[in-house]
Amino acid sequence: MSNLFDLLVAGLATGAIYALVAVGFTLLWQTSQTINFAQGEFVMLPAFLMLAAMHVGAPFWLAIILGILLSMILLGLAFKLLLVDPMMRHGVLPLAIATMALAIGIKEAVKQFYSAEASPFPSVVPTGDISILGHAVSLQSIGVLVVAILAVLGLTTLLNRTSLGHQMQAAAQNPTVARIIGVPVERMILLTFLINAFLVALASLLITPIYLAKFSSGEVLGQAAFIAAIVGGFNQVRGAIAGGLLIGVLDNLAAAYVSTQYRAAVPMIFLIAVILFRPQGLLGRAEERTV
Amino acid sequence: MKPTLLVGALFTIMTATSAYAQAIKLADVAELSGGGATVGTNWKNGIDLAVEEINAKGGVLGRKLEVTHADSQSNPGVARAQVQKALDGEPYVLLGPGYSGSVKVTAPLAAEAGIAQIMGGEAAELTQQGNKYLFRTSFGQQSSMPKVAKYIHDEMKAKSVAVIWVNNDFGRGGRDVVIKELDRLGSKVVADLSTEAGQADFAADVGKIKAANPDAVFVYLNEEESARILKELKRQGVTVPLMGETTLIGQKVIELAGDAANGARGHVGLTTDAPVDLIKAFREKFSKKYNYVPDHNGLKGYLAVYMVKATTEKMGKVDPKKFADTLHGLTIKAADEPGILMDVTFSDTGDIDRQSFLVEVVEGKQVVKQVLPKVK
């Protein structure tokens, strides 16, 4: 069925973006027990930073670089120093609530200082399509998939194949022991925040040409990524990737074969089923769960 | 020194109060944020422009217009609360909202208060419920959809049509009328797809359209969703003719969808590209003031204020109770009141009759292909 093939490609492309956002989610959780409910808004904001850069005359490529750098400063460094660090000592829940407040703050700020209206956003991938197995597949979908896969591959290589990655994993798994053997735990945690900021900026760059730049566009993304992270396993990077792809495909299939009205409900039902029957997530490890 | 100051202050307060008493109060409730922000912002700017113009020329019957704006957040519940609040301030006329769903829940409040409501909603049912105080600024779907169906059948020669609509009062109303008309004319509806307001991802819906393989697609969504689906249709390589209403080929949609909007056609009750001199002048004034080209909602807001002016001048006095009665059956000619832009007649139900246009997007610009005359 040609329709099914198209749906799978479109679903994988959306899912790959969910995966990027979900990976950031799990990284923050593993290293610092931060559940970032502003993750969706973190995806929305970089697009506006890039638009602002273009507005003052920067060409698109420069705007992308500036947007990513600014995101890493604001959503990585400043987020950690100004919100996570002071709130952390009060526990996981107050921090989670603080991130919810941050989400509202970011949304309202964009609405106030930019506009409540949607804005167009240029695409890094040219429009047009190529033929795969006799099916016309859009370059945009392929582009999104390729960039997302490269980002995830890069991240897993960093985590598993480099000394830095091993130190990060040690800091995440047992900070006390890591400290004893000389891992700079604080710096490792900061690094995960910067990586998260980089991933959300990348997701923003990929998704905004399709969804348009709008202050409220983070709501859907944040929710999808959160579900993806839980479904895949909150304590596993590979779980978040699988969860993201799965939710993307499921969402598209539900819209096509169930009904558009219930498309949002299907991933939710799936989420409930996972929580009931496999609470550690599809690829998660049960023993590591602390909540 | 002190008594002088006191007298000065008193004098200032007195003059301020007397100016306040003289001003004609209009209350606007519009979609200034949320999904309808494009609609509401254009509507509001249109209103402000008209008020500024009228006040600069001495107001209406020598009294200044004064307008307040409230944000419905594109949410019918909020709209209802805002309209109640606006009515508590006893305005002369209520302007807005733009979304049909919000109009539906607020119209009974205005009717109960006996205040005329000039709004932007286009759902067919709005003026079919015997409300004596509700007035349109644009065509209702019962006037526009038959023209659309006829064009799809006669001009596009489409034997099979996919209809994709947004699941709210506006979308459902249009879908019901257009499907009935297409059936009557003999064009088969091969896909009937509902989508959600604010939907971001249209990949699955476009997949269904492709699977149905129609001769033409009728797209009836709000502006932002229209832009997203146009991009997705292009992304998935759908090349069949696209037909819609104003919401498919509006300025904002063209800006958001870029070259994906090229080739889309739509029936338009109002467009700033109309080959009408007064509309061209309006467009110029609006673009100069706000630095962007308005869509039809800008025109609607502008017209709403001039409807107030023309009706009040016809009555010869400011009488909120008689306002609705006077506007029913009234024909306003552009020659007498240039602000009304085109000759218009209001029916007893608050519907309008006016000439309309068939527009195609060519290289990012609305091009009027046909002028469709007034019905009566």
Side-chain angles (χ1 to χ4, degrees), chain B residues 2-312:
Chain B
K2 264 185 187 166
T4 333
L5 267 177
L6 197 63
V7 170
L10 268 175
F11 180 75
T12 318
I13 292 168
M14 278 165 67
T15 37
T17 349
S18 71
Y20 184 71
Q22 277 181 358
I24 299 174
K25 284 197 286 178
L26 304 176
D28 168 41
V29 176
E31 292 73 10
L32 300 179
S33 65
T38 305
V39 175
T41 308
N42 271 289
W43 167 266
K44 171 186 177 286
N45 289 344
I47 289 174
D48 285 341
L49 178 63
V51 166
E52 193 184 289
E53 268 177 31
I54 292 170
N55 284 346
K57 287 182 188 158
V60 177
L61 302 177
R63 290 168 64 175
K64 296 256 179 218
L65 292 178
E66 191 180 271
V67 61
T68 56
H69 299 285
D71 182 9
S72 77
Q73 298 168 18
S74 308
N75 174 337
V78 178
R80 196 176 154 90
Q82 293 286 15
V83 163
Q84 188 59 64
K85 197 173 146 199
L87 290 171
D88 290 345
E90 297 182 357
Y92 176 47
V93 173
L94 175 68
L95 307 175
Y99 266 20
S100 296
S102 296
V103 172
K104 199 170 145 187
V105 297
T106 56
L109 296 176
E112 200 175 301
I115 301 289
Q117 179 176 10
I118 302 177
M119 51 84 185
E122 297 184 358
E125 61 172 329
L126 295 175
T127 50
Q128 292 167 344
Q129 294 169 339
N131 186 327
K132 291 277 169 223
Y133 294 90
L134 195 61
F135 294 91
R136 292 191 194 275
T137 46
S138 56
F139 285 115
Q141 290 157 340
Q142 67 275 45
S143 329
S144 58
M145 287 302 149
K147 289 186 184 182
V148 168
K150 195 167 156 30
Y151 186 83
I152 292 175
H153 181 265
D154 295 354
E155 309 274 336
M156 289 180 158
K157 314 256 182 246
K159 292 197 170 60
S160 59
V161 184
V163 177
I164 181 161
W165 46 285
V166 54
N167 188 13
N168 58 22
D169 288 303
F170 157 79
R172 218 175 301 117
R175 174 239 174 228
D176 290 350
V177 187
V178 87
I179 285 190
K180 202 176 94 192
E181 286 295 315
L182 286 169
D183 264 355
R184 195 176 63 77
L185 294 168
S187 289
K188 191 162 178 258
V189 176
V190 287
D192 180 13
L193 307 170
S194 85
T195 65
E196 291 304 295
Q199 187 172 319
D201 193 329
F202 283 93
D205 307 279
V206 172
K208 282 195 212 171
I209 291 175
K210 273 175 88 174
N213 195 21
D215 293 338
V217 185
F218 176 63
V219 184
Y220 203 56
L221 309 175
N222 294 122
E223 274 91 348
E224 283 173 16
E225 291 84 338
S226 291
R228 293 193 188 110
I229 201 170
L230 284 170
K231 291 181 129 197
E232 189 62 40
L233 284 161
K234 187 176 160 82
R235 200 159 81 111
Q236 293 200 26
V238 177
T239 51
V240 293
L242 307 174
M243 177 70 187
E245 249 282 321
T246 319
T247 50
L248 182 64
I249 41 93
Q251 287 298 341
K252 186 74 191 175
V253 182
I254 296 175
E255 184 198 325
L256 292 175
D259 56 0
N262 288 341
R265 278 176 266 189
H267 168 257
V268 175
L270 286 167
T271 164
T272 52
D273 287 305
V276 175
D277 289 341
L278 286 169
I279 294 182
K280 283 182 192 155
F282 160 81
R283 179 184 158 126
E284 208 162 288
K285 280 183 285 191
F286 191 107
S287 313
K288 203 170 154 202
K289 184 165 157 71
Y290 299 108
N291 272 327
Y292 72 91
V293 179
D295 69 4
H296 65 291
N297 292 296
L299 276 162
K300 284 188 200 173
Y302 185 81
L303 290 173
V305 179
Y306 275 98
M307 281 163 68
V308 174
K309 178 172 185 273
T311 311
T312 309

Side-chain angles (χ1 to χ4, degrees), chain A residues 3 6-7 10 14 111 116-120 127 129 138 140-141 209-212 214-215 252 255-256 260-261 263, chain B residues 32-35 37-38 41 167 194-196 199-201 203-205 207-208 210-211 224 228 231 235 252 255-256:
Chain A
N3 197 14
D6 292 341
L7 284 171
T14 321
K111 192 163 99 179
E117 294 187 58
S119 307
T127 49
D129 36 46
S138 84
Q140 241 178 342
S141 296
I210 304 167
Y211 283 13
L212 305 174
K214 190 165 179 182
F215 75 97
N252 264 280
T260 317
Q261 279 118 308
R263 76 183 297 173
Chain B
L32 300 179
S33 65
T38 305
T41 308
N167 188 13
S194 85
T195 65
E196 291 304 295
Q199 187 172 319
D201 193 329
D205 307 279
K208 282 195 212 171
K210 273 175 88 174
E224 283 173 16
R228 293 193 188 110
K231 291 181 129 197
R235 200 159 81 111
K252 186 74 191 175
E255 184 198 325
L256 292 175

Side-chain angles (χ1 to χ4, degrees), chain B residues 139 147 331 343-349 351-355 373-376:
Chain B
F139 285 115
K147 289 186 184 182
T331 296
D343 294 359
V344 58
T345 303
F346 293 87
S347 76
D348 290 342
T349 54
D351 281 310
I352 63 170
D353 187 8
R354 192 166 48 200
Q355 65 183 20
K374 241 175 123 179
V375 180
K376 286 170 196 162

Side-chain angles (χ1 to χ4, degrees), chain A residues 195-216:
Chain A
I195 291 175
N196 178 52
F198 176 76
L199 291 177
V200 290
L202 201 58
S204 189
L205 185 64
L206 295 176
I207 195 82
T208 315
I210 304 167
Y211 283 13
L212 305 174
K214 190 165 179 182
F215 75 97
S216 58

